[in-house]
Amino acid sequence: MNVQRIVILGGTGFVGSRLVPRLTADGHHVLLLSRNREAHRQRGVGRNVAIASADVYDPATLHRHIAGADAVIQMVGILNESGRNTFERVHVGLTRLVIDACRAAGVHRLHMMSSLNAGKGTSGYLRSRGEAEALVRSSTLDWTIYEPSTIFGPGDGLVTRFDSLLRIAPVMPLPRPQAKMAPVYVGDVVEAIARGVNDASTVLRTYELYGPETWTLIDLVRAIRDARGRHRVILPMPDALGRLQASVAQFVPGKPFSPDNFRSLLVDAVGQSDGLAQLGIHPQRLSDWLPRLLGQPVRHRRLDEARSRRRH
Ligand SMILES: NC(=O)c1ccc[n+]([C@@H]2O[C@H](COP(=O)([O-])OP(=O)(O)OC[C@H]3O[C@@H](n4cnc5c(N)ncnc54)[C@H](OP(=O)(O)O)[C@@H]3O)[C@@H](O)[C@H]2O)c1
């Protein structure tokens, strides 16, 4: 395996924090570019990892940091627009800047984290993802695009988020209850990128990354509720009410749900071309992970199930 110097944008978050140790375990040297190095100081701790505060929207800064790298991983992404951080700026504009900086600095290899269904449907999120992918594909770089479905794992925005909401809400109105998703384990996503980094045959390829199970949103929320033993009412909402809820929730601090999130949910997050299989990765199941994500010891649960089977 050839050791690479890799610059990562957006590598201080949920996926990046798992990706960095995976890459350094292969011997690669990683430089993380962050808007605020101090906030993620612990990420820079470790052999072969450095973190720099950088305004990645400044072409000269970007050029300076990626000059001399063997590869760039672009994983900055947002689910909601806020202030000047529009989908256009963060997804499309930043991708354009990264491509230009790579070309100017003579860096040929670009890995780009996108999203399943990029370019489909009517949401600004998915549309801007599609535009960013088009820029990458039309560049002269050696690119690889990763398109994950919703990602699960400790601290995720899926199980952890619904678990927190169920803790506080006696009744949970649920928009798009029948929306389908095939959640993918964060470790499998990280492994996919690591293999992409190490395997030149992934150049000019797009990998859909999705898990082996398809869930409807309401079944997932019910499973989280039941695993916790919470007595909560989950109210499936027709689309007209779901839209209304989104238009109100966008003004709640933290923007828990927005009209654009609603529009993204109109497209099922299930894939068609199994990128994990193509990369030789056997994916993990959300149902196996649920107890662990909810803080229940898996071993005990299995023992309990075995005991209860013996009793019946
Ligand atoms: N998690 C999922 O379920 C999922 C599913 C599909 C696709 N994805 C995509 O996969 C990528 C990684 O996901 P993630 O869950 O690890 O994301 P994350 O935890 O939100 O981390 C993304 C990082 O991007 C940086 N960032 C955020 N907003 C930014 C902005 N406006 N300008 C510049 N940098 C910004 C932040 O780093 P600093 O604060 O250090 O600057 C943050 O740590 C993202 O592109 C995401 O959209 C995620």
Side-chain angles (χ1 to χ4, degrees), residues 88-129:
E88 171 63 31
R89 176 174 191 255
V90 177
H91 295 158
V92 187
L94 183 56
T95 300
R96 187 179 290 114
L97 285 169
V98 170
I99 292 169
D100 289 349
C102 283
R103 262 200 309 249
V107 177
H108 300 289
R109 188 76 172 104
L110 175 64
H111 300 266
M112 169 138 126
M113 187 77 150
S114 179
S115 174
L116 202 62
N117 292 325
K120 294 187 190 155
T122 55
S123 78
Y125 173 80
L126 290 175
R127 260 207 328 261
S128 60
R129 289 293 201 187

Side-chain angles (χ1 to χ4, degrees), residues 43-62:
R43 304 251 180 268
V45 178
R47 251 182 107 216
N48 297 339
V49 185
I51 179 164
S53 281
D55 175 5
V56 290
Y57 299 93
D58 176 52
T61 306
L62 203 50

Side-chain angles (χ1 to χ4, degrees), residues 9-16 33-36 40 51 56-57 74-79 85 89-91 94 113-116 125 129 147-152 157:
L9 290 80
T12 55
F14 171 59
V15 179
L33 301 185
S34 167
R35 289 166 304 170
N36 184 354
H40 304 289
I51 179 164
V56 290
Y57 299 93
Q74 148 60 343
M75 33 193 337
V76 171
I78 53 170
L79 273 178
N85 286 321
R89 176 174 191 255
V90 177
H91 295 158
L94 183 56
M113 187 77 150
S114 179
S115 174
L116 202 62
Y125 173 80
R129 289 293 201 187
E147 295 183 331
S149 178
T150 315
I151 305 173
F152 70 87

Side-chain angles (χ1 to χ4, degrees), residues 154-171:
D156 60 20
L158 181 67
V159 176
T160 313
R161 180 163 155 261
F162 278 111
D163 187 33
S164 313
L165 291 171
L166 284 165
R167 194 165 45 227
I168 51 174
V171 177

Side-chain angles (χ1 to χ4, degrees), residues 240-277:
L241 282 179
R243 276 198 185 87
L244 189 66
Q245 186 199 32
S247 59
V248 174
Q250 68 178 321
F251 299 111
V252 171
K255 219 184 213 186
F257 194 54
S258 70
D260 202 72
N261 299 154
F262 181 90
R263 287 192 287 273
S264 289
L265 281 174
L266 292 170
V267 189
D268 289 335
V270 291
Q272 283 161 1
S273 161
D274 191 342
L276 289 175

